[in-house]
C-alpha cells in the first residue's frame, strides 16, 4: 500500500526540494511507499484532505485542529524552535506607524493561509478594524502581497514571519513592520492519519533521531528545520484549544 | 494609558465568590497591552491556574510560581462588576466560548485591559479545565466597557 503525504503550502519555494528529499528518506527508513503531493492553494489542499486523500500531513495549526478533532489524525512531531508568527507590514513610505493608525476602509492584502489571516485580523482589532470596515484582497502568495504594498495597491499586508524574512532584502527594505506577533506556542506539526497509525512509533523514532544521521541532517537542513521534537496528544489539544479561542 | 489615570492609590478589600477576601492597594495607572502578544493561561475546572505563558507573567507582575496553584480571581479588579464574571461562568459551564472585555489587576496594584476569550477544555467528553486567551482591545471598546461596568457596579 502506498501512503500519501502533503505539506501545508506556506513553506518557502526554496524548500520544495527539501520535502522531496524528506519523502525519499522517510520511505527508506519505514520501508513503505509514500507519494508526496504539494499544493499552491490552501483551499484546494483542504478539499483533498477532507476527501481523506492523505495519511501524513505537515499541517499548519489551523488545519491541525480539523485533522485531529474531525478526522482522527495524531500529531507526532513538531519542528524545534519554530513557531508560526504573523507580521503586519506597510510600505516603507506609508503614513501609518502603528496598527492604531490604520483607519476604516483601509485596503488589506492577505493570502489564503488561515493562521496568518486569522492572526492578522486579530491584530487589527485594536484599531477597531474587522472584515466589515476593511477592503480585504486575497492573493496567491506572500510575494504578491509584498508587491501590492510596494505598488501602493494595499495599505497593509499580512505575512507569515518566516515567509517575510525570506523575501529579498530589496523588497523588505521597501516595507516596514507595524507589528509582529509573539505567540510562541502555535506551530506546524506532522500528523499521521488513521490508515497509517500502526507506523506511528516507527515514524516518531525515525524523526526524533533524524538529526543524528548524516543523510537525515542534510535533509533537515534543506527543509530549514533543525530537529524534530515530540508532540503528545495533550500538547496538540492545548494548541487546538488556543486556536479555537481565536476563531469567532 | 488612559487619560483619566490619576496615579492615585487606594486600599480596598476585595471579596471573592468563595467567601475569601483580601485587602490590597489599587493604583489608578494603566499598563498598556503589548502589541502582538497573547496572554495565555489554563485553569482546572475550579478556576485554579495550571499554566501561565510568559506574557501572562509579564503583564500580571506575578512570578510563575505565584500564579500556578492560585485561583484566577487573583486578577480581579474591584472596578469589575461581579455580574460580568457570573456571565463568564454561566457561559463556559454550558460548554460555550465566552468573549468579553476585562480590566485586570496587577500584583503592583496597576491595571491592564484585555479582550478575553475563555473556552472549556474537553478531553474524551470530560471537562478538564478552561483555556483563556487575552488579546489587545481597542481604546473605543475600553471606553465602552468602563462606562458599562461603572453602571453595573453601581447597581450591585
Amino acid at each position: 500500500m502506498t501512503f500519501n503525504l502533503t505539506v501545508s503550502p506556506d513553506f518557502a519555494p526554496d524548500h520544495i526540494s527539501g520535502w522531496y528529499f524528506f519523502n525519499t528518506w522517510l520511505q527508506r527508513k519505514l520501508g513503505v511507499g509514500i507519494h508526496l503531493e504539494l499544493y499552491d492553494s490552501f483551499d484546494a489542499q483542504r478539499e483533498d484532505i477532507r476527501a481523506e486523500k492523505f495519511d501524513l500531513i505537515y499541517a499548519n495549526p489551523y488545519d491541525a485542529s480539523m485533522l485531529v478533532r474531525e478526522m482522527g489524525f495524531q500529531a507526532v512531531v513538531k519542528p524545534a524552535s519554530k513557531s508560526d508568527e504573523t507580521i503586519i507590514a506597510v510600505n516603507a513610505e506609508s503614513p501609518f506607524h502603528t496598527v492604531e493608525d490604520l483607519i476604516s476602509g483601509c485596503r488589506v492584502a492577505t493570502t489564503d493561509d488561515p493562521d496568518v489571516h486569522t492572526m492578522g485580523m486579530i491584530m487589527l482589532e485594536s484599531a477597531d478594524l474587522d472584515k466589515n470596515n476593511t477592503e480585504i484582497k486575497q492573493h496567491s502568495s506572500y510575494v504578491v502581497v509584498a508587491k501590492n504594498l510596494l505598488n501602493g495597491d494595499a495599505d497593509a499586508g499580512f505575512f507569515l514571519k518566516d515567509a517575510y524574512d525570506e523575501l529579498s532584502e530589496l523588497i523588505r527594505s521597501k516595507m516596514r513592520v507595524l507589528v509582529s506577533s509573539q505567540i510562541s506556542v502555535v506551530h506546524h506539526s506532522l500528523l499521521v492519519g488513521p490508515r497509517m497509525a500502526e507506523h506511528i512509533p516507527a515514524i516518531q523514532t525515525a524523526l526524533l533521531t533524524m538529526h543524528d544521521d548524516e543523510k537525515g541532517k542534510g535533509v533537515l537542513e534543506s527543509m530549514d528545520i533543525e530537529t524534530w521534537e515530540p508532540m503528545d496528544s495533550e500538547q496538540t489539544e492545548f494548541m487546538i484549544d488556543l486556536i479555537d479561542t481565536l476563531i469567532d | 494609558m488612559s487619560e483619566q489615570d490619576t496615579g492615585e492609590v487606594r486600599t480596598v478589600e476585595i471579596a471573592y465568590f468563595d467567601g475569601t477576601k483580601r485587602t490590597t492597594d489599587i493604583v489608578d495607572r494603566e499598563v498598556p497591552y503589548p502589541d502582538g502578544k497573547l496572554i495565555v493561561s489554563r485553569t482546572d475546572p475550579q478556576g485554579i491556574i495550571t499554566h501561565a505563558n510568559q506574557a501572562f507573567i509579564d503583564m500580571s507582575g506575578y512570578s510563575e510560581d505565584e500564579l500556578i496553584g492560585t485561583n484566577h480571581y487573583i486578577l480581579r479588579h474591584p472596578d469589575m462588576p461581579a455580574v460580568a464574571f457570573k456571565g463568564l461562568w454561566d457561559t463556559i459551564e454550558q460548554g460555550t466560548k465566552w468573549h468579553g472585555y476585562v480590566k485586570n489587576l496587577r500584583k503592583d496594584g496597576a491595571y491592564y485591559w484585555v479582550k478575553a476569550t475563555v473556552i472549556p477544555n474537553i478531553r474524551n467528553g470530560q471537562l478538564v479545565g478552561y483555556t483563556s486567551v487575552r488579546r489587545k482591545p481597542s481604546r473605543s471598546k475600553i471606553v465602552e466597557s468602563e462606562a458599562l461596568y461603572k453602571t453595573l457596579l453601581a447597581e450591585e
Side-chain angles (χ1 to χ4, degrees), chain A residues 125 128 234 241 244 247, chain B residues 42 97 121 123 135 138 140:
Chain A
E125 284 177 355
D128 278 324
E234 189 46 42
D241 281 338
D244 270 0
I247 302 167
Chain B
R42 299 169 86 188
K97 193 187 296 187
N121 305 139
R123 306 285 184 267
R135 55 217 220 204
S138 71
S140 71

Side-chain angles (χ1 to χ4, degrees), chain B residues 5-156:
Chain B
D5 279 358
T6 61
E8 181 197 0
V9 181
R10 60 193 162 114
T11 303
V12 297
E13 184 183 73
I14 307 174
Y16 301 113
F17 76 92
D18 59 3
T20 59
K21 292 175 181 175
R22 75 171 171 129
T23 302
T24 188
D25 285 344
I26 304 295
V27 187
D28 193 22
R29 176 175 61 85
E30 180 174 8
V31 175
Y33 193 101
D35 280 327
K37 292 200 178 180
L38 295 178
I39 294 175
V40 182
S41 59
R42 299 169 86 188
T43 70
D44 69 11
Q46 285 71 45
I48 305 297
I49 299 169
T50 55
H51 168 91
N53 76 344
Q54 193 57 47
F56 186 25
I57 293 163
D58 295 343
M59 278 305 276
S60 69
Y62 290 99
S63 68
E64 187 174 12
D65 284 351
E66 287 171 319
L67 289 170
I68 305 296
T70 303
N71 196 295
H72 217 282
Y73 63 43
I74 195 168
L75 301 168
R76 182 176 163 190
H77 196 283
D79 290 351
M80 285 296 297
V83 68
F85 294 106
K86 186 177 182 307
L88 184 164
W89 280 101
D90 287 351
T91 306
I92 58 177
E93 280 176 353
Q94 284 169 11
T96 318
K97 193 187 296 187
W98 179 87
H99 287 291
Y101 294 89
V102 180
K103 184 177 187 174
N104 279 149
L105 177 62
R106 289 166 48 93
K107 185 182 180 183
D108 64 7
Y111 68 90
Y112 60 99
W113 278 95
V114 298
K115 178 181 179 183
T117 306
V118 186
I119 58 161
N121 305 139
I122 311 293
R123 306 285 184 267
N124 304 316
Q126 297 292 312
L127 174 76
V128 296
Y130 299 100
T131 297
S132 170
V133 177
R134 280 84 83 193
R135 55 217 220 204
K136 188 176 185 179
S138 71
R139 187 46 58 185
S140 71
K141 294 291 183 193
I142 292 175
V143 171
E144 268 175 37
S145 305
E146 272 175 334
L148 172 67
Y149 295 155
K150 210 171 173 179
T151 310
L152 293 172
L153 208 57
E155 288 169 3
E156 282 180 358

Side-chain angles (χ1 to χ4, degrees), chain A residues 88 98-102 120-130 179, chain B residues 33-36 101 115 135-142:
Chain A
I88 300 181
T98 67
V99 169
E100 285 78 14
D101 290 339
L102 294 167
M121 291 309 289
I122 282 171
M123 292 197 293
L124 287 185
E125 284 177 355
S126 61
D128 278 324
L129 296 177
D130 58 34
V179 63
Chain B
Y33 193 101
D35 280 327
Y101 294 89
K115 178 181 179 183
R135 55 217 220 204
K136 188 176 185 179
S138 71
R139 187 46 58 185
S140 71
K141 294 291 183 193
I142 292 175

Side-chain angles (χ1 to χ4, degrees), chain A residues 64-72 237 240-241 244, chain B residues 122-123:
Chain A
S65 179
M66 164 184 81
L67 290 165
V68 171
R69 298 234 166 126
E70 296 170 33
M71 300 182 68
E237 293 286 352
I240 295 172
D241 281 338
D244 270 0
Chain B
I122 311 293
R123 306 285 184 267

Side-chain angles (χ1 to χ4, degrees), chain A:
Chain A
M1 177 182 187
T2 300
F3 296 105
N4 290 299
L5 160 69
T6 191
V7 179
S8 180
D10 48 11
F11 61 89
D14 298 357
H15 305 132
I16 288 181
S17 54
W19 283 101
Y20 282 99
F21 298 150
F22 173 77
N23 189 36
T24 306
W25 181 90
L26 190 62
Q27 288 183 79
R28 286 195 185 134
K29 279 280 170 188
L30 300 179
V32 296
I34 304 172
H35 166 73
L36 170 64
E37 190 156 346
L38 298 178
Y39 291 78
D40 292 330
S41 145
F42 285 87
D43 290 339
Q45 185 189 49
R46 201 167 301 123
E47 209 171 291
D48 282 349
I49 289 174
R50 283 203 181 276
E52 299 183 4
K53 193 170 166 185
F54 295 103
D55 307 291
L56 198 56
I57 303 179
Y58 184 65
N60 62 71
Y62 189 95
D63 286 343
S65 179
M66 164 184 81
L67 290 165
V68 171
R69 298 234 166 126
E70 296 170 33
M71 300 182 68
F73 274 69
Q74 194 178 323
V76 288
V77 290
K78 63 172 179 169
S81 335
K82 225 174 156 58
S83 58
D84 290 353
E85 305 292 355
T86 298
I87 276 180
I88 300 181
V90 293
N91 186 304
E93 307 295 322
S94 162
F96 306 121
H97 291 272
T98 67
V99 169
E100 285 78 14
D101 290 339
L102 294 167
I103 49 172
S104 178
C106 80
R107 299 161 302 162
V108 177
T110 187
T111 60
D112 62 351
D113 188 331
D115 298 296
V116 172
H117 182 72
T118 302
M119 198 53 213
M121 291 309 289
I122 282 171
M123 292 197 293
L124 287 185
E125 284 177 355
S126 61
D128 278 324
L129 296 177
D130 58 34
K131 63 181 180 197
N132 299 315
N133 61 3
T134 50
E135 260 183 57
I136 298 168
K137 261 199 185 163
Q138 199 181 82
H139 300 287
S140 56
S141 71
Y142 292 114
V143 174
V144 182
V145 170
K147 273 186 188 160
N148 273 263
L149 290 179
L150 268 45
N151 295 340
D153 293 329
D155 299 308
F158 297 164
F159 296 86
L160 178 70
K161 186 175 182 301
D162 276 0
Y164 184 88
D165 291 343
E166 294 200 12
L167 292 170
S168 77
E169 220 174 303
L170 180 68
I171 293 180
R172 274 186 288 132
S173 71
K174 292 179 176 173
M175 297 192 289
R176 180 157 37 81
V177 174
L178 282 191
V179 63
S180 179
S181 73
Q182 298 170 65
I183 305 170
S184 310
V185 287
V186 173
H187 46 74
H188 279 53
S189 48
L190 186 76
L191 297 108
V192 180
R195 284 190 299 257
M196 208 177 178
E198 63 177 296
H199 295 281
I200 287 176
I203 293 171
Q204 220 167 13
T205 306
L207 296 185
L208 294 177
T209 53
M210 191 172 174
H211 58 280
D212 297 332
D213 152 359
E214 204 48 46
K215 272 193 182 159
K217 203 173 170 187
V219 173
L220 282 169
E221 276 167 18
S222 65
M223 297 155 76
D224 193 31
I225 290 173
E226 279 174 38
T227 55
W228 296 102
E229 283 178 354
M231 246 187 115
D232 62 29
S233 65
E234 189 46 42
Q235 281 173 302
T236 313
E237 293 286 352
F238 174 47
M239 187 175 79
I240 295 172
D241 281 338
L242 201 152
I243 296 284
D244 270 0
T245 68
L246 303 180
I247 302 167
D248 285 330

